[in-house]
Amino acid sequence: MLVAGFPADAFGTNCYVVATAPGEQCVVVDPGIGVLDRLDALLAEHRLHPAAVLLTHGHLDHTFSVAPVCGARGITAYVHPADRELLADPAKALSMDLSSLFGGRLPYTEPEDVAELTDGAALSLAGLEITVDHAPGHTGGSVLFRLPGAGSQWDADQVCLSGDVLFAGSIGRTDLPGGSHPAMLTSLREKVLPLADDTVVLPGHGPATTMGRERATNPYLLEVMDHGAQPAPTTGL
């Protein structure tokens, strides 16, 4: 399996491509702000052909380029229905400061073909078997994407694209419209903590990590395991 990616210049949002091998079809995950040229270069480098775009949630720094990526290739974008409205109106999930930064400057539309994700769904795309876990808290429609990691550069049993649910050493902020800290704590307890220690976690921002490392050192997971709660973080958009 091939997993490659890069951080967008804006907000450092990680855009990933996942394929069974070079020269095959792939899925694009979270094409953010200003990524089109670098994404095209990455696809050309590995001779990949996008078959779909997967969105971990509806925030603008993860969805900004989804319409052009899908439209240029006639492919489907996958998003949880709780965040679907953000594709056409991302300001609904932005703070007032961020709305003033982005709002009204560009026309936002959702891609022509959008499919809605459901909790526990098993997607068969580009030769990959991808499991969807609905994990609200950062947004109402945040999800995790899990897939077998055998043959990847980590050769792990499982890879998890965690979006802004889980970062190395932290979690996604819950103070923006649509966020919920209690829901985040539930997602951490019910969807994140059950992941095996050797699961490779590829977050929406920052470096890759492993579930074992986060279970042992991430203060938010430690608090959840101790049945406590910390103040909501403010990492990411």
Side-chain angles (χ1 to χ4, degrees), residues 4-130:
F6 58 89
D9 290 338
F11 298 99
T13 307
N14 290 323
C15 176
Y16 298 101
V17 296
V18 186
T20 57
E24 302 291 343
Q25 288 190 320
C26 70
V27 296
V28 177
V29 182
D30 289 352
I33 299 171
V35 303
L36 293 178
D37 289 344
R38 293 176 69 188
L39 177 58
D40 285 344
L42 185 63
L43 295 171
E45 176 186 353
H46 297 289
R47 309 183 314 283
L48 298 174
H49 311 283
V53 173
L54 304 181
L55 301 173
T56 61
H57 62 290
H59 278 165
L60 188 61
D61 61 323
H62 292 252
T63 68
F64 188 90
S65 298
V66 62
V69 170
C70 290
R73 299 166 176 88
I75 59 177
T76 302
Y78 289 78
V79 67
H80 191 274
D83 279 9
R84 180 168 179 171
E85 65 177 349
L86 301 182
L87 298 183
D89 190 3
K92 289 184 176 180
L94 297 178
S95 66
M96 191 166 295
D97 288 345
L98 288 168
S99 292
S100 64
L101 177 63
F102 290 112
R105 294 176 55 188
L106 292 170
Y108 299 107
T109 61
E110 69 172 39
E112 290 187 10
D113 188 9
V114 178
E116 296 186 347
L117 300 166
T118 57
D119 186 37
L123 306 177
S124 294
L125 297 168
L128 302 163
E129 299 298 323
I130 303 166

